[in-house]
Amino acid sequence: MAETSVEKTQILQKYLELEQRGRIIAEYVWIDGTGNLRSKGRTLKKKILSIDQLPEWNFDGSSTNQAPGHDSDIYLKPVAYYPDPFRRGDNIVVLAACYNNDGTPNKFNHRHEAAKLFAAHKDAEIWFGLEQEYTLFDMYDNVYGWPKGGFPAPQGPYYCGVGAGKVYARDLIEAHYRACLYAGLELSGINAEVMPSQWEFQVGPCTGIELGDQLWMARYLLHRVAEEFGIKISFHPKPLKGDWNGAGCHTNVSTKEMRKPGGMKYIEKAIEKLSKRHAEHIKLYGSDNDMRLTGRHETASMTAFSSGVANRGSSIRIPRSVAKEGYGYFEDRRPASNIDPYLVTGIMCETVCGAIDNADMTKEFERESS
Ligand code: ADP
Ligand code: MN
Ligand code: MN
Ligand code: MN
């Protein structure tokens, strides 16, 4: 009988090497009624070559805060799939959007509305690059690697830190990076953050709705890899009160016009539009974001909109290199780490490219709490 985890791993390996006899496993992943992720697996008869070959599926929404017990079926509509880094071979992970029995999007399915905006503004070729920050906790809910009942030395040596005592859980972060690349996600980079045991990965640039899909899948892979290390992932924007940095999800944006020489004019126009809808954007930029957007720790105030070149204390930052070249992209620094990327990219598209008749991102927030 296996007693150590090494022995258990050796036994498991025997089964993982068994033939699947032509069948594949598709792990369906979805967003539940609290903004967390759930997944379940199913066997399919053959290798999947396109998204329309994937069947719709369903689950018990009364167990996930997504439906009442008397009408509990929620439908899973596949929207994207990726090679499964855990099961490998022809096995896949499937991102699915949730729909109610009557065909309407489930209250936390913000993809439905955002996708309409991106379809209407296809010609703008809007790109996003999101910087997902997050914090590691151990199984007893202490910040991972921090001294028991105490604090590590103040912030300073940890951002992109190198060396024992300055960096925590590099093994987990490396494993997640490789899992994302295996799955074909556009991870553009990864770095240790200012607060010890806080990290960041960047997804993008991705076009339109694809950013939200990839970011959710990258989060899923992170939770899964972290399971194996016995580490909990927190996306809370201010996991620790005091003189510790909060966690954000900076949202970098460009349209086709902004990326061409002379694009600065379009970047400025976009910032002007954003300045007029500050409050509406903030509503969709994550919960508890007020604990983070204090004007300290490289953030701007929650109540006042500001912008500037190379200014990490403003709502919107134009990178120095972009200002120098006169074209490129801008960075919205307001979104919190716990955002739904569909909400943020959706309202960004609505504000920068223009509203459309049959979609309204600001209403999505009300739908969530209905
Ligand atoms: P920071 O200096 O703010 O930490 P990062 O390097 O972490 O910047 O993140 C920059 C992000 O901007 C990356 O995700 C990258 O993919 C994205 N990005 C780069 N160029 C563009 C562009 N033209 N449009 C949108 N996003 C872009
Ligand atoms: Mn960054
Ligand atoms: Mn960062
Ligand atoms: Mn940034």
Side-chain angles (χ1 to χ4, degrees), residues 4 12-13 19 39 55 57 62 124-125 169 184 187 201 203 213 218 231 238 258 298-299 303 313 321 358:
T4 68
L12 174 62
Q13 195 54 38
E19 262 292 321
S39 79
W57 203 13
S62 69
E125 289 173 27
L187 238 70
F201 62 84
V203 178
D213 294 346
I231 292 175
K238 191 74 181 180
M258 295 175 193
E298 300 176 49
T299 70
T303 48
S321 60
N358 62 342

Side-chain angles (χ1 to χ4, degrees), residues 131 133 159 191 193 200 202 250 312 331:
E131 305 167 46
E133 294 180 343
Y159 172 73
N191 64 268
E193 268 304 333
E200 167 180 317
Q202 300 106 31
H250 296 165
R312 287 176 193 267
E331 174 190 47

